[in-house]
Amino acid sequence: MNLEPIITIRGLVNRFGTTAVHDGLDLDVFRGEVLGVVGASGSGKSVLLRTIVGLQVPNAGHISVLGTDVLTADPEHLRTVQNRWGVMFQGGALFSSLTVRENVAAPMRERLGVDARTRNALADLRIAMVGLPVSAGDKSPSELSGGMRKRAGLARALSLDPEILFLDEPTAGLDPIGATEFDELIKALQQALGLTVFLVTHDLDTLHATCDRIAVLAERKVMVTGTMAEMRLVDQPWIHAYFNGPRAHAAQPMSVAT
């Protein structure tokens, strides 16, 4: 893992009415890592992701992505930076009126000056990369299973060949086998493509399987960052319960007897 920050957040404040979700939040995400973001319900995990990608305007703070302050950059430069990241939302968030291929090609149609034939060929490549059959490209999202819709959403997030991948609860709603397969897919793609992955999750199995570091949101800030092993040593009630409870022990990989 490269210790060069690819995302830098300082003093972030997000308020909804009189309720502060983030208050002076700081975080660095390093190039080439998979960072898992966890926290109790209402801690602002998804709000943080949405703020970084520009869907939520913060009340205060600075966010630098790929060396650009995304809160103050001019629209043309910001658009160039946005082309270098991809986002997979919960449930895939696919356009129901478009086929899977059209969904995956949509960012290309909007942002790349390539013809339809090239877009479709590139979309089919992304569809194959996430483990879907090429025939899935002709289907509508409603014809796919939940797991296939998530893979289609991931294919669309990879549409522009991004450097950074934002994933919001990627395994939510999947059965254990499907979640494990999706975790393996994320890790394989991250390693093959050299991606930096910002992953919001509550799934301990996903943290074990995919994440290099973990950032814990609590008390409106990033309370602590570190590896899974380091999280187990943190003396804070919620963090201790989360990383040392029965579900955490069940999620730990079984040690091999020697």
Side-chain angles (χ1 to χ4, degrees):
M1 181 180 68
N2 190 331
L3 293 182
E4 171 198 354
I6 197 169
I7 302 172
T8 300
I9 303 169
R10 294 291 181 267
L12 187 68
V13 177
N14 272 309
R15 295 193 186 95
F16 296 93
T18 58
T19 302
V21 177
H22 304 134
D23 189 4
L25 183 150
D26 297 335
L27 179 64
D28 288 322
V29 182
F30 301 121
R31 183 179 293 274
E33 77 169 336
V34 180
L35 179 74
V37 179
V38 302
S41 178
S43 61
K45 303 182 293 296
S46 294
V47 173
L48 177 57
L49 185 156
R50 291 171 60 85
T51 304
I52 298 171
V53 302
L55 298 176
Q56 167 72 30
V57 179
N59 298 89
H62 301 278
I63 302 174
S64 174
V65 182
L66 294 159
T68 295
D69 188 330
V70 297
L71 300 180
T72 61
D74 66 81
E76 183 176 352
H77 183 56
L78 180 59
R79 185 183 182 89
T80 300
V81 176
Q82 289 172 333
N83 286 351
R84 298 169 68 186
W85 72 56
V87 186
M88 176 188 163
F89 298 101
Q90 292 188 43
L94 300 171
F95 300 113
S96 60
S97 60
L98 302 181
T99 66
V100 169
R101 183 179 295 105
E102 290 168 339
N103 266 282
V104 176
M108 303 178 204
R109 186 176 62 248
E110 179 183 355
R111 301 190 179 191
L112 300 182
V114 296
D115 58 76
R117 183 176 179 180
T118 302
R119 287 198 305 267
N120 289 336
L122 291 172
D124 283 343
L125 176 61
R126 303 296 188 269
I127 290 168
M129 284 170 59
V130 300
L132 289 174
V134 174
S135 60
D138 295 319
K139 298 181 183 298
S140 67
S142 63
E143 295 178 281
L144 303 181
S145 67
M148 293 178 74
R149 282 196 296 273
K150 285 183 179 288
R151 288 175 184 258
L154 180 57
R156 186 175 63 184
L158 294 170
S159 178
L160 299 179
D161 194 19
E163 298 173 50
I164 306 172
L165 187 60
F166 294 94
L167 306 175
D168 193 2
E169 298 284 5
T171 58
L174 295 181
D175 63 77
I177 294 175
T180 298
E181 291 175 346
F182 205 87
D183 288 340
E184 292 171 349
L185 173 63
I186 291 169
K187 194 64 178 178
L189 288 171
Q190 184 267 332
Q191 293 175 345
L193 303 176
L195 298 167
T196 301
V197 181
F198 183 100
L199 190 159
V200 172
T201 187
H202 67 279
D203 191 328
L204 283 156
D205 290 316
T206 295
L207 294 176
H208 277 287
T210 66
C211 295
D212 300 301
R213 281 196 310 142
I214 299 164
V216 181
L217 300 191
E219 300 177 10
R220 299 180 295 281
K221 294 179 172 64
V222 174
M223 177 166 286
V224 64
T225 63
T227 64
M228 179 68 73
E230 290 168 335
M231 292 298 105
R232 298 191 193 102
L233 302 177
V234 176
D235 186 20
Q236 193 271 354
W238 187 89
I239 297 174
H240 179 81
Y242 187 83
F243 289 100
N244 292 279
R247 288 182 179 270
H249 289 296
Q252 293 177 28
M254 295 179 64
S255 61
V256 178
T258 58

